[in-house]
């Protein structure tokens, strides 16, 4: 019985040591992955990387992680050379394979969301244009206000994800005004007016393989969802 108790104590102590080593190892790995992602994607801030599942060491030895999360606020959107910040970027990556001496991570599939608030979206708009939420529970519409040829404008603009088959840059959002003032269309100024108020902000620095799938407007801004396969987290 004494030998059994000693064996049990040894097993428990080794278990505690293993758990401690495992948690240290996962902390180091998460920090290294965050640094690599920041460097490879050109982010302004280091993202938060979480490696799920226990034990980590056995996952690392097999070079395959079940679930990795990435959260960041330094992802950028650009439009006409202007850059704006994307908030609440979060991605879930599943079945992540490690290679190249653990410096490259590729997920079989990934999903996520990000948000652009209206103040930041206005920065990406043409000069003199303000983007805001129109209210009324709208989920695919924003309000565009500004002036053109001395006339005040306030129009609703549909928000959508641009299809990759359209030839546009990947991960692009389109804001397309509806119901332009009749005075401008009657004078044949519709195209020039659209050049002023329609624009297509592009999300940059997304991990390779992620693509936008839906966009939704709300009081706090535009929320986009994305997903992809064979997504490269770092490398």
């Amino acid at each position: 019985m004494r030998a059994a108790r000693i064996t049990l104590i040894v097993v428990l102590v080794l278990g505690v040591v293993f758990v401690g080593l495992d948690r240290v190892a996962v902390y180091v790995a998460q920090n290294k992955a965050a640094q690599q992602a920041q460097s490879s994607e050109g982010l302004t801030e280091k993202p938060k990387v979480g490696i799920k599942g226990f034990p980590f060491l056995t996952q690392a030895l097999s070079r395959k992680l079940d679930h990795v999360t990435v959260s960041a606020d330094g992802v950028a959107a650009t439009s006409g050379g202007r850059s704006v910040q994307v908030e609440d970027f979060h991605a879930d990556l599943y079945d992540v394979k490690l290679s190249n001496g653990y410096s490259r991570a590729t997920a079989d599939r990934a999903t996520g969301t990000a948000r652009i608030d209206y103040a930041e979206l206005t920065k990406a708009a043409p000069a003199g244009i303000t983007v805001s939420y129109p209210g009324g529970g709208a989920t695919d519409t924003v309000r565009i206000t500004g002036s053109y040829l001395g006339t005040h404008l306030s129009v609703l603009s549909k928000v959508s994800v641009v299809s990759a088959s359209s030839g546009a840059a990947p991960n692009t959002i389109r804001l397309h005004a509806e119901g332009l003032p009749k005075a401008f269309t009657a004078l044949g100024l519709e195209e020039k007016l659209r050049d002023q108020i329609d624009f297509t902000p592009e999300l940059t620095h997304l991990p390779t393989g992620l693509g936008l799938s839906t966009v939704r407007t709300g009081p706090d801004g535009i929320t986009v969802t994305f997903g992809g396969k064979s997504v490269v987290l770092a490398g």
Side-chain angles (χ1 to χ4, degrees):
M1 290 296 294
R2 183 180 182 185
R5 288 197 297 271
I6 293 174
T7 300
L8 177 60
I9 291 171
V10 170
V11 169
L12 291 174
V13 170
L14 288 177
V16 170
V17 171
F18 176 78
V19 170
L21 290 174
D22 190 82
R23 294 302 88 190
V24 170
V26 75
Y27 174 81
V28 172
Q30 288 173 163
N31 187 60
K32 183 65 176 179
Q35 292 175 344
Q36 183 72 20
Q38 181 182 15
S39 175
S40 63
E41 300 301 333
L43 302 179
T44 57
E45 298 179 6
K46 186 168 69 174
K48 294 180 180 179
V49 175
I51 300 175
K52 308 302 180 181
F54 179 84
F56 163 72
L57 289 173
T58 56
Q59 295 185 72
L61 289 174
S62 67
R63 294 177 180 264
K64 186 175 181 180
L65 307 177
D66 296 335
H67 181 197
V68 176
T69 62
V70 181
S71 300
D73 287 326
V75 180
T78 59
S79 178
R82 294 175 291 272
S83 179
V84 299
Q85 294 299 306
V86 175
E87 304 295 331
D88 302 332
F89 172 88
H90 179 84
D92 288 278
L93 301 101
Y94 300 95
D95 297 327
V96 180
K97 296 179 178 62
L98 305 173
S99 58
N100 290 352
Y102 296 95
S103 66
R104 180 181 178 87
T106 305
D108 282 354
R109 63 185 180 89
T111 60
T113 60
R115 179 177 59 84
I116 308 175
D117 67 34
Y118 294 114
E120 288 293 315
L121 197 59
T122 295
K123 293 180 182 179
I129 295 300
T130 298
V131 184
S132 61
Y133 184 61
T139 59
D140 63 351
T141 307
V142 296
R143 182 170 296 281
I144 302 293
T145 56
S147 62
Y148 184 68
L149 298 179
T151 302
H152 176 73
L153 294 172
S154 179
V155 299
L156 296 179
S157 185
K158 287 289 185 181
V159 184
S160 61
V161 174
V162 180
S163 171
S165 61
S166 68
N171 301 321
T172 297
I173 302 168
R174 172 180 287 124
L175 283 79
H176 183 77
E178 295 188 327
L180 296 178
K182 294 181 180 180
F184 290 98
T185 57
L187 293 173
L189 296 175
E190 180 175 353
E191 185 175 344
K192 291 184 177 181
L193 178 57
R194 287 200 177 280
D195 288 341
Q196 178 70 16
I197 62 178
D198 287 353
F199 63 106
T200 53
E202 174 195 356
L203 267 69
T204 57
H205 300 310
L206 289 181
T208 303
L210 278 183
L212 301 184
S213 52
T214 65
V215 60
R216 181 182 179 89
T217 61
D220 295 330
I222 292 178
T223 300
V224 296
T225 61
F226 47 80
K229 297 181 179 180
S230 299
V231 176
V232 179
L233 174 62

